[in-house]
Amino acid sequence: MKNITTRKKRGLATGGIILGITLIIFGLSEQTITQASPAAYNQSNTILQQRATETAPEPSKSDVEVNHSEFEILQQDFASGPEVTKACLSCHIDAAAEIQSTTHWTWEYEHPETGQILGKQNVINSFCIALDSNEPRCTSCHVGYGWTDDTFDFSEEDSVDCLVCHDTTGTYKKFPTAAGHPAYEPLEFPSGSGTIWQPPNLSYVAQNVGDTSRQTCGACHFYGGGADAVKHGDLDSSLSNPDFALDVHMDADGLNFSCTTCHNTDGHLLEGSRYSLNSTDKETCETCHTAEPHNYEILNQHLERIACQTCHIPEYARGGIATKTWWDWSKAGILDEDGISQIIKDDEGHTIYDSRKGEFEYGENVVPEYIWFNGEVDYTLLADTVDPANILTINPPGGSRDDEASRIWPMKVFRGIQPYDADNNTLVIPHLFGSDSAAYWKSFEWDAAIEAGMAYAGAPYSGSYDFIETQMYWPITHMIAPAEEALTCLNCHTGEDSRLDFSALGYTEGQAQALSHFPPTANLGMVIISSSESDQCTECHEEQVHYWTDSKHGQNDVGCVACHKLESEGTHPDTAYSVSLEANLCGGCHLEDYHDWSNSQHTDSENGRFSIACISCHESHALIQLVPRDGTTSCDACHKNKADDVVHSTHTAEGVTCVDCHKVTQQNTGHTFEIQSDSCTQCHGGDIHSANSLLLVSPAQDTALTIPEPTEAPIKEEAIGAYVSISTWGYVLIGIIIGLLVYWLIAGKEPGTSAERVNAEEDTKES
């Protein structure tokens, strides 16, 4: 029996020790959680990364990481790029054929809606103008080798350049004037600059190929138009290794999206085309984000007519690299005093004049221009006539306010002046690059260059040229800013410095005026918009207008019809105005207040049990807090028991009211009415743990309780991890005490010392 009792007591002792250890672990684990929470990565980014992974296509065999240095066929000295391609195709037998079916190879695109044959082979632009007769220079961005003229064989598979997209070494570069080839020996470029381009080690590059990256895509797309950031404005070399502030998706230390995260590939065919864009976000942003990505319904409603990019790309060219905004070819041809082509730079190192190309202007942190856009683009081609009396939009985007497929989009507008046929009224293609005498960059003779270029293109030229002002639209889709830098309501709905020109966007004068106030009047057909026209309401509603005039709504021109809408077609007073008591009416403008209120105990959004809406506490026109006639507060009307609890408290004696604690917080707007971590420190500050005292406030004060600025916490930020809260140490100490006490009470008593226990066990065995 003693042995059994001993085992029970040992079990109890063990249990006590385990309980103590559990409490210790619990206390320490709480410390770990407390330390980890502030450093946790933004949950929305984690979800976004997960969604992006879920929506990405299944990897093909070619996507699987392979150590290419182990392949014997790549362990050789390659003399040229086509030799590398031939080796690649020995395994990737279908890759070249897949590439040759894409616009990356053909530089040609048949628009499914307009039927226009577009692509770099056919379009004319407002910067470097056109491809024909200039191939060796332009095709340095082609995914192939050797496109020197119009005899290029597009069916030759060895001419496909595998390395330009799959290099991971950063050492492979196409030479600027070699028709897509890299340098095969040391070459100087630009001529006379002293800058030497060294040939890449093709064997090393071939043995280190991998997935495409921002760097490989950017080798062409960042430098479109002849230099970094010339063309797009939202694509430049700053996106090679961007931070979160520049692009939340491509942030190298965050989500680290590559180009193909959004531009998915299928057999080397990439999704997305600037010739036929998706004006909505159902195949772009909503692939990862939901159709209702905001907490506020009013913002989600904007998605019907506003592109995500409009608010989330407030400026472009934000990476420290200026984008070209103006290119004037008419100023080209001015040589220096020695008759040599000259380049002039400004104080920031931007080329503002080049004898070969003319005059330039640049911009950084540029505010986009906003237009209605439905995704369709119509191009002005070589055979189309133009009107030199007006600015020519080379690629007029489709869309209008009346087009339900249109949304307001941010655009870079690239403007310039370029040559045209003055008799035929058509754009022209000048022959710019080459060593022949007709090349403009050699002769600086426009007539000879245009005649040669048009003859090469097989197009008529009258022999008479002049210059026309042109512009091109480029949708802004990259450089997504952090949410806190997105546009706010007042960026657009304001009478001064509005982002949106509502009149230019097709709204009537009255509608534009309504939309230029915050909040904009939803019923745009109404006359009454602001305080200046409130007299029409005063005749019948004098008391309401009087209170409204002195309110924040009145002072900010929030007119009557911002809240009251005609219930049906007609005129007032024959037709009644609505009188809404719902909180979401106020929430249409007071987004954060409404969001916090909807998550408070004043409402139950699921069951609708409570009806404590905005006007339950705020007078509807004066907007002041409602106070019952008996001298109590509006809180007392519902929380009588709470009021009785605190009536004799120190807080009440010092004049502290309900809202001084329940609505004073920096954590949110206060409309959750919950005591937050800083509710106490707003008054007590750094004295909260040093004394049991309130800040002295005179009861005779007529003003609300003055809240001092919170003082800094006594613990330095870098030392926070070394401290454990009192509650944490409480768990640890309680666990140790319980463990020792139980062990002493049970294990330290019967059957006595260790020797006595051994003797007792031997006696038991003998019996």
Side-chain angles (χ1 to χ4, degrees):
M1 287 295 293
K2 278 187 176 182
N3 193 32
I4 295 173
T5 302
T6 300
R7 289 177 180 175
K8 288 182 179 179
K9 291 181 177 180
R10 286 178 179 173
L12 289 172
T14 303
I17 294 172
I18 292 174
L19 175 61
I21 293 174
T22 300
L23 289 170
I24 293 172
I25 293 174
F26 181 80
L28 294 177
S29 66
E30 185 178 84
Q31 175 193 4
T32 304
I33 293 172
T34 302
Q35 293 176 7
S37 296
Y41 194 72
N42 189 299
Q43 185 180 10
S44 63
N45 280 352
T46 305
I47 295 172
L48 187 58
Q49 181 71 76
Q50 179 182 355
R51 287 178 178 164
T53 303
E54 291 171 352
T55 56
E58 290 295 324
S60 62
K61 292 182 180 179
S62 61
D63 292 326
V64 179
E65 291 187 8
V66 175
N67 185 358
H68 284 75
S69 64
E70 297 178 352
F71 296 117
E72 183 177 355
I73 195 171
L74 299 180
Q75 298 171 0
Q76 58 174 299
D77 293 329
F78 295 103
S80 69
E83 287 186 12
V84 177
T85 300
K86 187 174 182 179
C88 296
L89 295 179
S90 64
C91 289
H92 303 281
I93 57 177
D94 297 325
E98 291 175 352
I99 284 289
Q100 289 174 343
S101 66
T102 70
T103 54
H104 272 118
W105 177 258
T106 64
W107 280 14
E108 196 164 82
Y109 176 84
E110 181 176 358
H111 197 289
E113 300 296 331
T114 66
Q116 285 186 308
I117 306 300
L118 306 173
K120 290 185 178 66
Q121 284 204 65
N122 305 288
V123 300
I124 299 174
N125 57 61
S126 62
F127 36 96
C128 49
I129 301 182
L131 169 71
D132 281 340
S133 77
N134 304 304
E135 286 91 346
R137 182 67 180 91
C138 298
T139 59
S140 60
C141 268
H142 186 238
V143 291
Y145 301 112
W147 187 354
T148 58
D149 53 37
D150 54 8
T151 65
F152 179 65
D153 185 359
F154 285 89
S155 66
E156 178 55 57
E157 293 192 343
D158 289 356
S159 294
V160 172
D161 185 352
C162 303
L163 301 182
V164 72
C165 295
H166 294 285
D167 170 42
T168 65
T169 68
T171 63
Y172 181 82
K173 295 181 180 179
K174 289 171 173 284
F175 191 73
T177 62
H181 287 278
Y184 297 126
E185 59 184 22
L187 295 173
E188 183 185 36
F189 185 84
S191 178
S193 66
T195 301
I196 305 299
W197 287 56
Q198 297 294 335
N201 184 331
L202 296 177
S203 178
Y204 172 70
V205 176
Q207 292 177 37
N208 289 277
V209 293
D211 291 338
T212 60
S213 63
R214 293 189 299 272
Q215 289 78 9
T216 54
C217 296
C220 288
H221 292 284
F222 294 163
Y223 298 89
D228 196 1
V230 167
K231 183 166 60 173
H232 295 283
D234 62 336
L235 283 173
D236 59 46
S237 60
S238 67
L239 290 175
S240 295
N241 193 41
D243 58 15
F244 185 76
L246 180 57
D247 192 289
V248 299
H249 296 131
M250 291 189 272
D251 173 20
D253 296 324
L255 293 173
N256 198 29
F257 278 15
S258 68
C259 302
T260 53
T261 304
C262 297
H263 299 278
N264 294 328
T265 58
D266 182 12
H268 286 92
L269 180 64
L270 284 146
E271 291 184 356
S273 169
R274 67 182 177 89
Y275 296 111
S276 181
L277 293 173
N278 180 2
S279 69
T280 68
D281 294 303
K282 293 180 180 178
E283 297 177 8
T284 52
C285 303
E286 289 182 20
T287 303
C288 296
H289 301 277
T290 67
E292 297 182 346
H294 304 102
N295 291 327
Y296 314 116
E297 179 60 26
I298 188 67
L299 294 182
N300 290 327
Q301 291 175 3
H302 276 65
L303 295 178
E304 297 177 6
R305 303 310 303 271
I306 306 288
C308 299
Q309 294 87 337
T310 295
C311 296
H312 291 280
I313 310 178
E315 292 92 23
Y316 59 86
R318 295 189 295 107
I321 301 174
T323 185
K324 195 169 287 186
T325 58
W326 173 262
W327 188 327
D328 186 354
W329 281 97
S330 70
K331 302 289 182 62
I334 302 175
L335 307 179
D336 66 12
E337 57 186 12
D338 297 322
I340 299 175
S341 175
Q342 60 179 329
I343 292 177
I344 302 174
K345 296 180 181 290
D346 63 15
D347 294 339
E348 297 179 351
H350 304 137
T351 298
I352 57 176
Y353 183 79
D354 186 332
S355 298
R356 300 171 306 152
K357 301 178 180 181
E359 192 174 80
F360 309 119
E361 292 179 7
Y362 301 82
E364 288 188 62
N365 302 309
V366 183
V367 173
E369 298 182 38
Y370 301 95
I371 65 168
W372 288 108
F373 182 48
N374 61 11
E376 300 299 331
V377 181
D378 188 19
Y379 273 79
T380 303
L381 301 179
L382 190 59
D384 297 328
T385 58
V386 300
D387 180 6
N390 297 308
I391 297 174
L392 170 66
T393 301
I394 292 179
N395 64 335
S400 70
R401 182 183 162 222
D402 297 327
D403 179 4
E404 293 184 358
S406 297
R407 305 167 89 196
I408 295 176
W409 265 75
M411 295 276 177
K412 173 188 175 179
V413 184
F414 194 110
R415 295 178 168 88
I417 295 176
Q418 62 193 87
Y420 79 104
D421 188 320
D423 288 343
N424 293 329
N425 284 339
T426 62
L427 293 176
V428 296
I429 298 176
H431 174 44
L432 301 173
F433 175 81
S435 58
D436 56 295
S437 60
Y440 183 78
W441 291 348
K442 188 174 182 65
S443 68
F444 296 99
E445 294 290 339
W446 277 118
D447 191 61
I450 295 172
E451 183 177 2
M454 296 294 278
Y456 186 97
Y461 173 54
S462 68
S464 175
Y465 73 90
D466 204 341
F467 292 90
I468 183 173
E469 185 173 348
T470 60
Q471 62 185 14
M472 292 189 74
Y473 284 86
W474 297 92
I476 299 299
T477 59
H478 307 92
M479 296 187 176
I480 305 295
E484 58 269 20
E485 295 181 16
L487 298 186
T488 64
C489 306
L490 287 174
N491 287 120
C492 298
H493 300 293
T494 178
E496 298 180 2
D497 300 323
S498 174
R499 285 292 183 108
L500 301 182
D501 184 341
F502 292 106
S503 296
L505 288 169
Y507 292 93
T508 66
E509 182 179 353
Q511 292 169 343
Q513 185 181 4
L515 289 168
S516 296
H517 291 78
F518 184 80
T521 353
N523 193 337
L524 295 178
M526 295 313 304
V527 178
I528 306 167
I529 294 171
S530 65
S531 58
S532 61
E533 296 168 311
S534 62
D535 291 342
Q536 298 177 61
C537 300
T538 306
E539 184 177 348
C540 298
H541 307 283
E542 182 177 358
E543 182 179 1
Q544 289 84 352
V545 172
H546 169 73
Y547 286 128
W548 168 84
T549 301
D550 294 330
S551 72
K552 287 186 176 180
H553 281 173
Q555 293 169 3
N556 289 281
D557 278 348
V558 179
C560 304
V561 295
C563 301
H564 301 288
K565 321 297 179 190
L566 277 179
E567 294 182 343
S568 60
E569 292 185 5
T571 57
H572 191 69
D574 295 332
T575 301
Y577 276 103
S578 64
V579 179
S580 176
L581 305 181
E582 299 297 326
N584 58 11
L585 173 66
C586 304
C589 298
H590 302 280
L591 306 178
E592 295 182 357
D593 297 309
Y594 178 75
H595 176 258
D596 291 340
W597 170 85
S598 64
N599 288 288
S600 73
Q601 293 187 23
H602 281 168
T603 182
D604 187 331
S605 57
E606 184 175 345
N607 300 315
R609 292 183 301 162
F610 304 106
S611 57
I612 310 301
C614 305
I615 63 169
S616 299
C617 300
H618 300 278
E619 200 282 328
S620 56
H621 292 97
L623 306 181
I624 59 175
Q625 185 179 347
L626 292 172
V627 178
R629 296 183 184 275
D630 60 2
T632 60
T633 68
S634 56
C635 305
D636 296 341
C638 297
H639 303 286
K640 184 67 168 60
N641 58 334
K642 297 293 192 299
D644 292 340
D645 289 342
V646 301
V647 69
H648 299 298
S649 70
T650 307
H651 281 135
T652 301
E654 292 295 335
V656 179
T657 67
C658 304
V659 295
D660 290 329
C661 293
H662 287 275
K663 201 172 179 294
V664 176
T665 176
Q666 293 179 349
Q667 306 301 316
N668 55 52
T669 67
H671 280 79
T672 62
F673 302 101
E674 295 177 358
I675 299 295
Q676 299 292 332
S677 59
D678 63 343
S679 297
C680 302
T681 59
Q682 296 286 327
C683 289
H684 296 282
D687 297 329
I688 194 167
H689 287 118
S690 61
N692 183 23
S693 62
L694 282 170
L695 295 179
L696 296 178
V697 180
S698 172
Q701 283 183 317
D702 294 329
T703 58
L705 180 66
T706 302
I707 306 299
E709 292 295 326
T711 58
E712 294 183 0
I715 302 173
K716 293 183 178 179
E717 183 177 351
E718 62 270 18
I720 289 177
Y723 289 81
V724 183
S725 65
I726 294 177
S727 60
T728 297
W729 281 118
Y731 284 119
V732 175
L733 292 175
I734 291 172
I736 294 173
I737 292 170
I738 290 177
L740 293 175
L741 183 61
V742 172
Y743 184 79
W744 181 79
L745 289 174
I746 299 176
K749 297 291 184 180
E750 294 290 343
T753 63
S754 299
E756 290 174 338
R757 286 197 294 272
V758 172
N759 293 334
E761 290 175 359
E762 289 178 352
D763 292 342
T764 301
K765 291 178 181 178
E766 290 176 359
S767 63

